């Protein structure tokens, strides 16, 4: 039986009377990429700190590679963990090569191997041209690349990335996701936090959506679409308005999208078959709900539930 790389069982964290994380249960398997999504203050960074062993859970249990990450026994497994915080910070007076060589030594590399690993990683993230410059001369994007290089040291078994593409240009972002895909194919597990949902969607296996410290939903994108019951958008072309006269199809038209049918997932094939019977059909564009739409759906459920008591109070006092 394979032991999960990360396991949270009813894990929660409180500071005095404030619950910042409320009984979250999740597992991360080997070679899996988990997207962790939520607004600022949703509990994403708290989960990462629990996994790193920087803080301990107030209740429940956290295990990383089979042991509690905040225990003395977990020290030897920390070299197998890579972490990129949301705001990277390095010694300003050191060069990029000196910074990375220092971190590779902390991960257990000897002096000679540490320098070679550092140079290889700097090349991988595209800043070898600046490796002998002091970090204080680096732009925000270059510092982010240096942070990524630090997180990738030793091809970690577990990689925690908090807003990793902040400050990166499109080419650097593309190269970053290539590296994540490569690490995954080599068996590494990744937890990735990002507010840039369109860029993340095709690189994750599952998603966790958090709000105000509680888990709203978790699963593959297909599973989350099913839970949310979001419609499929089908846009035909070449029919010249004949869909509006088709009683089997016109009920799926909306005022906001008069040329697009918004169809429940379970009726998609029936609608496509009906459209194919129409003469003049030139093309079809079918688009399921994307990650951003799924995220907004689950977040809106929470916002509505928070507003309901307020509406009741207002009604009682009117």
């Amino acid at each position: 039986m394979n032991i999960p790389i990360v396991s949270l069982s009813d894990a929660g964290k409180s500071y005095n009377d404030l619950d910042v994380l409320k009984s979250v249960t999740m597992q991360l398997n080997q070679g899996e990429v988990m997207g962790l999504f939520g607004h600022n203050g949703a509990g994403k960074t708290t989960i990462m700190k629990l996994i790193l062993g920087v803080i301990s859970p107030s209740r429940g249990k956290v295990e990383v590679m089979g042991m509690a990450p905040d225990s003395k026994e977990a020290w030897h497994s920390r070299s197998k963990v890579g972490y990129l915080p949301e705001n990277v910070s390095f010694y300003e007076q050191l060069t990029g090569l000196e910074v990375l060589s220092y971190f590779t030594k902390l991960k257990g590399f000897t002096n000679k191997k540490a320098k070679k690993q550092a140079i290889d990683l700097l090349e991988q993230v595209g800043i070898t041209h600046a490796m002998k410059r002091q970090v204080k001369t680096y732009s925000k994007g270059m510092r982010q690349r240096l942070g990524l290089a630090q997180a990738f040291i030793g091809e970690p078994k577990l990689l925690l990335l908090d807003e990793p593409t902040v400050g990166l240009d499109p080419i650097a972002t593309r190269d970053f996701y290539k590296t994540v895909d490569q690490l995954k194919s080599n068996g590494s597990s990744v937890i990735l936090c990002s507010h840039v949902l369109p860029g993340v969607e095709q690189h994750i296996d599952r998603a966790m959506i958090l709000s105000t410290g509680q888990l709203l939903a978790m699963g593959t994108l297909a599973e989350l679409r099913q839970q949310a019951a979001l419609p499929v958008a089908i846009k035909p072309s070449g029919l010249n308005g004949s869909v509006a006269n088709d009683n089997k199809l016109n009920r799926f038209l909306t005022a906001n999208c008069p040329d697009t049918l918004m169809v429940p997932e379970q009726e998609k094939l029936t609608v496509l078959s009906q459209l194919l019977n129409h003469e003049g059909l030139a093309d079809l564009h079918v688009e399921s709900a994307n990650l951003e739409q799924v995220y907004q759906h689950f977040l809106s459920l929470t916002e509505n539930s928070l507003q309901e008591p307020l509406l009741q109070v207002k009604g009682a006092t009117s």
Side-chain angles (χ1 to χ4, degrees), residues 35-37 194 196-204 206-209 219-221 224-225 230 288-298:
L36 188 55
F37 308 114
S194 179
V196 189
L197 303 189
V200 176
E201 186 169 327
Q202 60 186 345
H203 301 282
I204 62 173
R206 287 190 294 152
M208 287 178 65
I209 300 174
T220 65
L221 186 53
L224 295 177
R225 282 193 195 111
L230 294 176
S288 297
N290 59 32
L291 177 59
E292 191 163 4
Q293 291 167 326
V294 169
Y295 170 74
Q296 291 296 341
H297 168 81
F298 284 106

Side-chain angles (χ1 to χ4, degrees), residues 233-237 239 242-244 246 248-250 252-253 259-261 263 268-286:
I234 302 176
K235 185 174 182 178
S237 58
L239 296 183
S242 62
V243 170
D246 188 326
K248 292 182 180 179
L249 297 176
N250 56 20
F252 299 113
L253 295 173
D259 59 345
T260 302
L261 295 90
V263 182
K268 179 176 68 176
L269 292 179
T270 302
V271 168
L272 288 173
S273 177
Q274 181 67 14
L275 282 168
L276 290 172
N277 290 330
H278 278 254
E279 292 184 9
L281 180 66
D283 198 4
L284 277 172
H285 180 72
V286 181

